[in-house]
Amino acid sequence: MFSVLLAIGLSGSAHTPLHPADADLYFDVPDLGAAIAAYTHAPSVEITSSPGAGHIADAARDAGFDLRALTTSLLPVPDPTRPGDAWWPWSAARRASCSLLGLEANSPPEARAAWFVCDFANAEAAAQAERALIAMGGGEPKPAGEWTIGESKVPVLAIRSPLELFASTAWCANTGTRLVVGMGAANSDTFVARLEAVGESVAPAWSALKLPVRSEDARGVIVLELGSDMDDLPAFAAGNPAFAGAVLALAPFACAMGHWRIELRDGRFVTDAVYEPRGTAKRLFDVLGSKPVSAAAMRLVPPDAVGAWVGDADPDRAESVIGGLLESWIGTPGSGTESVPGPRMSEGLKSALAVSLLPIQSLVSPAPRVVVAVELADAAKFGAGLDAWLARAQAANADLEIERKPYRKVATVALGLKKDPNESQGGGGLPFGASALEPTRITIAVLEDRVILASTPSAARNEIKRLQEKSDAPVNALVRNVVHPTDAFEISTMDWSSFLSTIYDSARGLLPAFAQGREKPIELDSLPTGAQLFAPLRPSTSWSKRVDGRILVHSESSFGPETPLALASVGYLAMNAMRAPAKLAPEPAAEETGPVAVPAEAAAESEAARTLVALREVRTALGVYRTQFGRVPATIAELLQKTDMFPDGFLKSGAVPKDGWGRELVLLTSKEGVAYELYSLGADGIDQHGAGDDVRLP
């Protein structure tokens, strides 16, 4: 019954008659100018405009990277006659709306259409906005007919599309204080018909979603209202597990019918929604029963997790989810469980389920550590079902390697793919050309009360150790503080401040190392810590419950109008991007070849190049070491030290690098271990204190 649903109250929209009835998505901003003004008080804006961010921009400029110029390039070009209004003409906008068609997978590209309507306070602002949109597309506008509205003639201009990735053609029309833009298959003549109430519009569908209004709802500025009528995922995400996961987490409306409203209230983005999942989203939510979140599920979240999703799942359906996760992570299709005889993992499962995101360790090992935990009813039965699944997976993919290696007497299985001998051993896309100290290998650990699926072996080992030594640890503070109704079937939370602070502090600690040799050193004391910089961010929270066959959602975030389920996408997408074949078997020995004659000049260049590679490896390791211990080591050999966080030490090669001439590198450290000098003695082998032919990094 609608009377018991959360009221998200649609404000009266004069724009709904102007958009087509078959719209997949409809966006409405009741007052765009007010929303822009409210954004100036959003936490993300507070962060970027803080003195600490200014110091970071100054340091980046000294290092040759102008953050201010980059930020300015993303903002509207200010009007010199309005020095106090950087967002002109959009600050003078009133109601704005947009509709999108042809998004679903069964729609051909030529069916894509977008309609944009924006009302302004005056004709001057509307004219400036029209010029801005034309400039976004580039090129010169061309006449494309005219509208007859009453006794007025309105010229229509063909322009280059501001959103060429969505549609290559576009047109615009300015009726005075109203700007109308159509893209792709949007026909300009049909707009006049809808304007005269002749054409069918989205208005009836939008009105059907209206719900009773709660008195406490009108407390903030509405940033966006959104209506969705999509039977499944958009075409670009269909059939792609990584994109599908991102879309469902970041944009759940892209696979549902319902309404969302986002307010900016007291520095928090508050989202309320009532919707019916469809297609892929429905299959996902069908895994989750209607049972309220249990205390057992909350206890599955590690105390140090910076994000978590907690719920209860149907064991039979949860097995297919576990299998699907493993298949997508290791790229092994065809090992599912449907209609397969033999033991099943579901026979040993209970319903409590938690997905946790642990802090990133450092920029040298940047893959987020994700832990999925499911409560067990019978560990032996689950283990038998897992063995059967692994056998099917290995038969389906000959490159799959399975390593069984108990840890602290706990059955542990690591999954990976055979190493491609032709694959580059470089740093790839990792920061500063570093290599991950630990490849991403999916690890499964079967304990007495739960099964753990972790993105890396170390994450699984740490969780096993924690449970054995601190089994009575309190419920994760983030999860415990999520305020939710007793009948919520899922809750989620994300501590963006802690998550981003770890990344930022790691980068901050590495700055002096990468600034070595510059005329002006970077003073760390002038830069804010992560805790100081991200102080305006408060944890995101979300809960969902079922009402009359629909899902009712409430979320609060200070980072932006995102659903905290985005943490699942952060981990999922990062693991796919970082996925490296597991090195479970010895590398084939390199083929021996005889000596090759090399010209003296080329040999010298090669030796200098090898020296620079060695210097870069040591410099990166020094920066990471300093983030862990607060100082640099006295010798390079100390970088071989192994820690819980870096079980292979800090040098990616596992040995102390030498320069291109086979000599030790020179490392000189200050008494306090804060500053250091690093260089090679060069071709002549004579220490000239970094001068002469000694080799230093630029």
Side-chain angles (χ1 to χ4, degrees):
M1 293 175 60
F2 283 122
S3 60
V4 299
L5 293 177
L6 169 67
I8 55 179
L10 298 171
S11 55
S13 175
H15 280 196
T16 52
L18 308 178
H19 290 268
D22 54 346
D24 292 327
L25 296 175
Y26 173 68
F27 304 87
D28 187 272
V29 183
D31 192 331
L32 180 57
I36 290 174
Y39 256 95
T40 61
H41 303 290
S44 55
V45 177
E46 290 184 16
I47 291 170
T48 55
S49 60
S50 67
H55 294 318
I56 294 172
D58 291 338
R61 182 194 58 207
D62 293 340
F65 186 64
D66 196 338
L67 284 175
R68 287 191 178 91
L70 175 63
T71 304
T72 303
S73 69
L74 300 176
L75 295 174
V77 178
D79 186 333
T81 65
R82 293 176 172 83
D85 190 356
W87 285 94
W88 172 267
W90 306 108
S91 57
R94 296 299 178 254
R95 184 175 296 277
S97 59
C98 177
S99 58
L100 302 177
L101 296 81
L103 295 178
E104 296 181 288
N106 59 356
S107 299
E110 59 269 19
R112 292 179 187 168
W115 296 84
F116 172 74
V117 182
C118 188
D119 295 335
F120 291 85
N122 53 62
E124 182 186 5
Q128 177 62 28
E130 181 182 24
R131 289 191 290 269
L133 285 173
I134 292 173
M136 285 175 63
E140 292 294 325
K142 298 179 180 180
E146 63 180 13
W147 294 341
T148 301
I149 303 176
E151 298 180 356
S152 301
K153 300 293 185 180
V154 178
V156 178
L157 300 176
I159 63 175
R160 289 189 62 177
S161 174
L163 300 175
E164 282 197 281
L165 290 177
F166 179 79
S168 59
T169 60
W171 54 265
C172 69
N174 185 347
T175 66
T177 58
R178 171 172 286 171
L179 182 63
V180 183
V181 179
M183 286 174 271
N187 187 319
S188 69
D189 292 336
T190 62
F191 182 82
V192 178
R194 288 198 298 271
L195 192 64
E196 298 174 347
V198 177
E200 294 182 352
S201 74
V202 77
W206 183 251
S207 299
L209 294 173
K210 289 185 177 179
L211 298 172
V213 179
R214 295 189 309 182
S215 60
E216 63 267 29
D217 276 351
R219 290 187 291 155
V221 175
I222 296 177
V223 175
L224 178 68
E225 290 189 84
L226 185 152
S228 172
D229 186 5
M230 294 187 65
D231 291 328
D232 212 329
L233 291 166
F236 72 87
N240 188 319
F243 275 122
V247 168
L248 290 175
L250 295 169
F253 49 79
C255 197
M257 181 187 75
H259 173 266
W260 285 255
R261 187 189 66 191
I262 303 169
E263 287 184 42
L264 186 52
R265 183 191 301 171
D266 299 327
R268 299 278 283 174
F269 290 92
V270 179
T271 302
D272 285 309
V274 174
Y275 67 98
E276 173 191 325
R278 293 179 174 177
T280 303
K282 184 179 186 303
R283 291 190 290 274
L284 175 63
F285 276 96
D286 281 348
V287 175
L288 305 174
S290 56
K291 293 173 58 177
V293 174
S294 66
M298 291 186 179
R299 286 194 295 270
L300 295 175
V301 179
D304 61 336
V306 295
W309 176 91
V310 180
D312 282 80
D314 176 86
D316 288 325
R317 290 172 174 159
E319 176 172 8
S320 65
V321 172
I322 292 174
L325 281 173
L326 294 174
E327 288 176 8
S328 63
W329 284 346
I330 63 177
T332 303
S335 50
T337 59
E338 288 74 10
S339 304
V340 177
R344 294 169 59 88
M345 289 184 279
S346 60
E347 294 176 3
L349 292 175
K350 286 187 178 180
S351 61
L353 171 68
V355 180
S356 304
L357 180 64
L358 305 180
I360 287 178
Q361 294 175 317
S362 75
L363 289 180
V364 176
S365 184
R369 296 176 298 152
V370 180
V371 173
V372 180
V374 186
E375 189 180 18
L376 287 181
D378 190 316
K381 289 182 178 179
F382 175 85
L386 176 63
D387 288 341
W389 187 93
L390 292 173
R392 292 193 299 273
Q394 197 157 39
N397 188 340
D399 289 331
L400 176 64
E401 291 190 332
I402 302 172
E403 180 184 65
R404 299 177 183 270
K405 190 174 183 180
Y407 178 73
R408 289 193 163 201
K409 300 183 179 180
V410 173
T412 305
V413 181
L415 307 179
L417 301 178
K418 292 179 181 178
K419 185 77 172 179
D420 183 354
N422 297 317
E423 185 175 292
S424 171
Q425 299 299 310
L430 297 186
F432 316 122
S435 293
L437 296 182
E438 179 181 30
T440 298
R441 286 187 287 160
I442 306 307
T443 305
I444 308 168
V446 183
L447 291 86
E448 288 296 323
D449 65 334
R450 70 190 72 186
V451 57
I452 294 171
L453 291 80
S455 59
T456 62
S458 65
R461 291 194 297 266
N462 289 343
E463 187 64 357
I464 292 170
K465 183 178 179 181
R466 178 188 72 82
L467 290 169
Q468 290 182 345
E469 296 178 357
K470 300 178 181 179
S471 59
D472 58 344
V475 173
N476 178 282
L478 285 171
V479 174
R480 188 172 63 245
N481 292 332
V482 177
V483 178
H484 63 279
T486 56
D487 54 348
F489 69 86
E490 66 91 13
I491 63 173
S492 61
T493 182
M494 180 71 189
D495 186 355
W496 288 108
S497 179
S498 294
F499 182 73
L500 296 174
S501 291
T502 301
I503 300 173
Y504 167 79
D505 284 337
S506 294
R508 180 177 179 268
L510 290 172
L511 282 177
F514 289 97
Q516 185 182 19
R518 296 186 180 275
E519 293 182 4
K520 186 177 180 180
I522 295 177
E523 299 293 339
L524 283 186
D525 291 342
S526 68
L527 303 180
T529 64
Q532 293 168 336
L533 182 63
F534 298 110
L537 299 180
R538 288 180 284 165
S540 298
T541 62
S542 177
W543 55 259
S544 301
K545 68 177 184 178
R546 299 181 189 273
V547 180
D548 293 342
R550 293 187 177 189
I551 293 178
L552 184 152
V553 177
H554 176 86
S555 70
E556 299 186 17
S557 170
S558 55
F559 188 68
E562 102 292 351
T563 302
L565 280 173
L567 71 96
S569 284
V570 170
Y572 185 82
L573 293 175
M575 280 190 294
N576 276 275
M578 279 289 298
R579 188 172 63 217
K583 196 173 180 180
L584 301 178
E587 292 285 347
E591 183 179 352
E592 293 186 4
T593 59
V596 178
V598 180
E601 292 182 2
E605 291 180 2
S606 175
E607 289 158 351
R610 289 198 301 271
T611 300
L612 290 175
V613 170
L615 288 169
R616 288 192 187 97
E617 180 184 358
V618 173
R619 184 172 70 175
T620 298
L622 289 170
V624 177
Y625 186 98
R626 179 156 49 190
T627 65
Q628 300 299 307
F629 297 103
R631 59 175 178 82
V632 293
T635 66
I636 296 176
E638 290 182 47
L639 295 172
L640 297 174
Q641 176 182 346
K642 298 179 180 180
T643 67
D644 288 341
M645 187 169 290
F646 296 96
D648 297 321
F650 296 85
L651 290 165
K652 66 180 181 181
S653 61
V656 175
K658 295 185 178 181
D659 66 13
W661 298 275
R663 289 188 285 267
E664 301 286 343
L665 300 174
V666 177
L667 174 66
L668 304 175
T669 62
S670 65
K671 183 178 180 181
E672 298 79 12
V674 176
Y676 69 88
E677 290 186 59
L678 176 67
Y679 57 91
S680 159
L681 298 180
D684 62 9
I686 300 173
D687 190 347
Q688 302 175 65
H689 306 291
D693 76 337
D694 289 358
V695 180
R696 304 176 68 119
L697 286 170

